[in-house]
Amino acid sequence: MILGIESSCDETAAAVVRGGSEVLANVVASQMALHANYGGVVPELASREHLRNIVPVVRAAMAQAGGGFADLDAIAVTEGPGLAGALLVGITYAKALALGRGLPLIAVNHLEGHIHAVLMEARVREQAMEMPLLALVVSGGHTHLYLCTQVSDPGLWRYKNVGRTVDDAAGEAFDK
């Protein structure tokens, strides 16, 4: 079982996954109402909200999963890209928890996480995928096309950015 922690922008999230595909818990604390008054995410406010939310969100995810910290095999955390202060909250919490429990810490690239969420869903549904894959990532300040090739089974992938916006990101418009 792996506890995953996400704090790259304005949502504090924690999930517990067993066996790489069985989602036992997924808890999200949104900051949408807070940032709506400003027309977009205010980085300093986002960081402060992560500080308030990280402990209750992780506790709720562990309770929802029906296990305790002793049942975990590893901690995963978003390491970037994202807002520096927001990332710092999640990374610091994950490092402390991993160190305190003697667990491995897995750094996860935010953009790869979007791609692998789709891949995980396809595995769960037993949908065949033709290689290589073309992934469109529309998230925050990112609008990218990645050519994704599986190097080994399971898990090792290679990504090549084959296209991106050079002006405004569709992810920002999508998020708003």
Side-chain angles (χ1 to χ4, degrees):
M1 282 193 345
I2 295 177
L3 168 65
I5 297 171
E6 154 56 23
S7 67
S8 63
C9 191
D10 64 333
E11 292 183 334
T12 311
V16 179
V17 177
R18 180 173 37 215
S21 61
E22 184 183 357
V23 179
L24 302 177
N26 184 22
V27 177
V28 178
S30 176
Q31 300 179 19
M32 188 176 279
L34 172 69
H35 298 287
N37 298 328
Y38 305 100
V41 176
V42 179
E44 178 60 27
L45 293 178
S47 300
R48 289 180 191 186
E49 285 301 302
H50 285 301
L51 286 171
R52 285 187 190 97
N53 293 329
I54 190 79
V55 172
V57 164
V58 169
R59 284 184 181 158
M62 293 303 296
Q64 193 177 97
F69 291 112
D71 299 318
L72 295 175
D73 298 298
I75 310 289
V77 63
T78 303
E79 53 88 21
L83 301 174
L87 286 165
L88 187 61
V89 173
I91 292 168
T92 302
Y93 183 86
K95 280 183 173 182
L97 186 57
L99 182 65
R101 301 296 312 175
L103 295 171
L105 183 66
I106 303 166
V108 178
N109 178 285
H110 180 151
L111 301 179
E112 283 184 70
H114 284 293
I115 295 168
H116 282 276
V118 174
L119 295 173
M120 188 174 96
E121 182 68 24
R123 277 195 314 275
V124 168
R125 293 183 182 193
E126 298 180 1
Q127 293 175 326
M129 295 179 287
E130 231 178 278
M131 297 296 162
L133 303 173
L134 185 63
L136 171 62
V137 177
V138 178
S139 170
H142 306 278
T143 305
H144 297 254
L145 280 173
Y146 290 100
L147 188 62
C148 309
T149 309
Q150 191 168 14
V151 178
S152 68
D153 192 20
L156 187 58
W157 288 78
R158 184 171 294 131
Y159 309 95
K160 181 179 180 186
N161 188 334
V162 295
R164 64 182 176 89
T165 56
V166 292
D167 52 0
D168 200 12
E172 290 178 0
F174 182 75
D175 288 348
K176 289 178 184 170

